[in-house]
Amino acid sequence: MKKILAILLCAMMLLSIAACNNGQNSTSPGTTENTDNENELSIETIKVGFVHISDPSDMGYTYNHDLGTKSMQAALGLTDDQIINKYNIDEGAATETALRELVEAGCNIIFATSFGFENYVLIVAEEYPDVEFCHASGYQAADSGLSNVHNYFVAIYEARYLAGIAAGLKTESNQLGYVAAFPFAEVISGYTAFYLGAKSVNPDVTMEVMYTNSWNDPSKEAQVTQALIQRGADVISQHSDSTAPATTSEANGVWQVGYNADMISAAPNASLVSARADWGIYVTYVVEQILKGEAIPIDWCKGYEDGAVYLSPLNEEIVAPGTKEAIEEAAAAILAGFHVFSGPLTGEGLDWDGNTIFLDLADGEYFPESQDQSAPSFNYIVEGITIIE
């Protein structure tokens, strides 16, 4: 009897030790090793950080991204102190400082939302492998060797194509103007899609593009808009963050197509429609993945079909007759598999090393924008678009 009791006691001790070891040595994404579970990640303890190049008052890119943050917060029920925003951070050493401050503040996941932040994300992420870093519009995550770095973007070119239809039907001079931030693929892809949308309903349309070399500079955006109007453009669009192109267009009696925000309130007699992104879809998804202890995709991109890009309401007071129907027809084609950058289409551009590259798509061929990576890669100037220095 004593021998049986001894065997039972030994077995119970072994099971107890095994249970303790399992609790101490197994960790999953988003949890920290603690036998009392004091630091276990949960909906009540997670902290989410954001680094933005401007602030929501720009009524542009940061404003739109911030709407996504608020959407995520409402969907998950996070408190204000669980979200930390770093606004007006320059694309330079200040980026690295902001990222480190968010880590020190206890953020479990950090979203860096501007293109020029990526190199600093890679530096800080390597030092903090337990923190997840998500970077918008970048392209280096897949080759970084860092499992905690992720790239994301949306197929905004699809919404720009649809918005271009409103411009192509409205123009009377058949000349469009485009206020562009930088000569990057992200910008070039966007304004090319806009032009192709306009051309799909108006084969005679042409477009001039001028760069501001800044994401958000209202004064420069107004100057460039004025210059494009003086050159003959009667519809202005933009890849820039402020409402200056909209208000300058209205002041000059021409029309405008916006980006990131519904700009009708800023220019009710000029703004036709805006191409927009719903960043809340990605931000909410990623935070949920972390809370479930599941992996985050290295690259993520969704488009019109998933509601990640869309158009603001048409300004029914001033859009051309038939605009709504033409956009609906094109949107149905996108949902059915139409590719924006379809042949026949030719163009010329530069690769990352500055070498000249050529595009020559035959009828039935297309450029697979954002299919292999989330960041836009269409980097060609096509016939009908002129860059004004």
Side-chain angles (χ1 to χ4, degrees), residues 71 118 132 221 351:
S71 174
E118 187 166 34
E132 300 290 343
E221 292 168 41
D351 64 14

Side-chain angles (χ1 to χ4, degrees), residues 52-66:
H52 296 295
I53 195 168
S54 55
D55 61 67
S57 69
D58 68 2
M59 290 306 296
Y61 181 77
T62 300
Y63 163 77
N64 214 29
H65 233 112
D66 198 57

Side-chain angles (χ1 to χ4, degrees), residues 87-98:
Y87 294 122
N88 299 307
I89 304 301
D90 291 335
E91 294 178 325
T95 305
E96 184 174 344
T97 300

Side-chain angles (χ1 to χ4, degrees), residues 134 166 175-176 187 210 222 242 293 298 301-302 308 315 368 383:
C134 299
Q175 184 173 325
L176 311 178
V187 181
M210 293 183 71
S242 83
I298 294 297
C301 184
K302 300 292 183 182
N315 190 340
E383 185 179 354

Side-chain angles (χ1 to χ4, degrees), residues 95 162 193 278 309 384:
T95 305
L162 298 176
D278 184 349
V309 304

Side-chain angles (χ1 to χ4, degrees), residues 100-168:
R100 292 185 184 281
E101 287 175 350
L102 289 173
V103 172
E104 291 167 3
C107 289
N108 309 102
I109 180 167
I110 297 170
F111 296 87
T113 65
S114 191
F115 179 81
F117 291 165
E118 187 166 34
N119 289 337
Y120 303 97
V121 167
L122 296 174
I123 292 170
V124 179
E126 187 171 12
E127 295 181 31
Y128 298 96
D130 295 331
V131 178
E132 300 290 343
F133 293 82
C134 299
H135 177 254
S137 77
Y139 61 95
Q140 300 184 62
D143 297 324
S144 69
L146 301 172
S147 62
N148 62 328
V149 176
H150 318 274
N151 287 135
Y152 69 100
F153 206 60
V154 293
I156 192 64
Y157 63 91
E158 293 180 340
R160 289 196 184 278
Y161 180 90
L162 298 176
I165 291 172

